[in-house]
Amino acid sequence: MTWSFQLYSARNFQPWPDVLKALADLGYKNVEGFGGLYENSLGLRSELDKVGLAMPSGHFSLDQLEDYGFSFRVARNLDMQLVACPHIAADRRPNDAAGWRAFGERLAAAGKPFQNDGIAFAWHNHDFEFQPLADGSLPMTHILEAAPGIGWEMDVAWVIRGGADPQKWIADYADRIVAVHVKDIAPASQNANEDGWADVGHGTVDWKGLVSTLKAKTPAKFYVMEHDNPSDFRRFASRSIASAKAY
């Protein structure tokens, strides 16, 4: 497998050329972008090329995605095969089933131009999509069912933090999972300074079993290392890829 690295994990460890070189030296071939990187996409492409990295996938905010001229230009400059919408701020989230279905339809509309131009489109989850609404239904169900043509970049650790069983969601939506965020959760009360996350293979998530299931049952092409708040991105990147090579 070719492992990728979500650059958001290294946002606090600038400059970017040094980050990219460190990742390449550790054996990564791919990285995943995020919205704050795209102001000079051709310059970013040049820095990637210097160290032999590719960026086949990238996160874009919904506002960026709906500015299709900008986001498509960035995706093409970086040769992206997949673009994903990663989040919606708490004050913009719907509070009922109809609102989440409408949000799913909005995602589908934002993704359609990319799909028409040969670029896959997906939603990336956090935990809030798995918190029951007043009627007992889940936002994630409404998003996926209202937008049957979009993919899912499954952040397994956030699924778990949302109180859901990732194996059940894989079983139910295997064909929709086009990418996976590989993130680990520290044991209870540990790594508080890193928001309770852990280096991959050093936490509580059964990544060996999950990777086996995901490879067997889904079309996922990208497996992306992520840690939302590492105290040392080189430690996280190094230990995580070492663990992943055993999967």
Side-chain angles (χ1 to χ4, degrees):
M1 295 176 66
T2 299
W3 299 93
S4 186
F5 184 94
Q6 170 49 256
L7 291 176
Y8 185 79
S9 306
R11 66 195 181 283
N12 296 324
F13 301 92
Q14 301 302 297
W16 285 115
D18 292 352
V19 168
L20 297 176
K21 184 178 187 306
L23 294 172
D25 289 346
L26 288 170
Y28 289 91
K29 303 299 182 185
N30 292 338
V31 292
E32 183 173 76
F34 69 97
L37 290 172
Y38 303 140
E39 182 177 353
N40 180 4
S41 55
L42 288 175
L44 176 58
R45 174 63 183 270
S46 176
E47 295 297 334
L48 293 167
D49 289 346
K50 286 177 185 177
V51 295
L53 289 172
M55 188 178 284
S57 63
H59 284 187
F60 294 78
S61 71
L62 187 52
D63 289 341
Q64 287 177 324
L65 292 167
E66 290 178 335
D67 180 0
Y68 186 65
F70 165 79
S71 53
F72 178 73
R73 181 172 64 253
V74 170
R76 275 290 183 249
N77 286 345
L78 293 163
D79 285 340
M80 289 183 183
Q81 302 167 39
L82 168 71
V83 299
C85 184
H87 192 254
I88 179 173
D91 62 354
R92 301 176 68 181
R93 292 173 198 163
N95 56 20
D96 60 15
W100 282 108
R101 287 194 295 271
F103 178 71
E105 292 168 357
R106 184 179 175 189
L107 285 175
K112 188 64 173 175
F114 292 95
Q115 295 167 325
N116 289 342
D117 283 317
I119 300 173
F121 182 83
W123 170 252
H124 166 276
N125 68 277
H126 284 74
D127 56 346
F128 56 83
E129 298 95 320
F130 301 92
Q131 302 301 310
L133 301 169
D135 65 0
S137 64
L138 298 180
M140 193 67 193
T141 302
H142 297 304
I143 291 170
L144 292 173
E145 293 184 356
I150 72 170
W152 178 13
E153 182 176 55
M154 185 183 195
D155 191 313
V156 174
W158 274 124
V159 173
I160 295 169
R161 279 203 170 178
D165 178 359
Q167 292 284 4
K168 180 183 186 305
W169 282 85
I170 293 168
D172 290 347
Y173 292 98
D175 61 328
R176 304 286 295 276
I177 299 171
V178 295
V180 179
H181 267 204
V182 183
K183 180 186 296 179
D184 217 331
I185 301 171
S189 78
Q190 294 186 21
N191 294 7
N193 66 317
E194 298 192 338
D195 299 337
W197 303 114
D199 300 338
V200 176
H202 296 267
T204 61
V205 179
D206 175 24
W207 272 112
K208 186 173 183 179
L210 283 163
V211 168
S212 178
T213 299
L214 288 159
K215 287 171 63 178
K217 295 185 176 181
T218 80
K221 294 177 61 177
F222 308 111
Y223 289 78
V224 187
M225 304 293 187
E226 186 179 48
H227 187 312
D228 286 2
N229 188 29
S231 59
D232 181 341
F233 96 90
R234 287 178 174 82
R235 182 214 71 219
F236 163 66
S238 175
R239 296 178 84 199
S240 296
I241 198 169
S243 296
K245 286 178 179 178
Y247 304 155

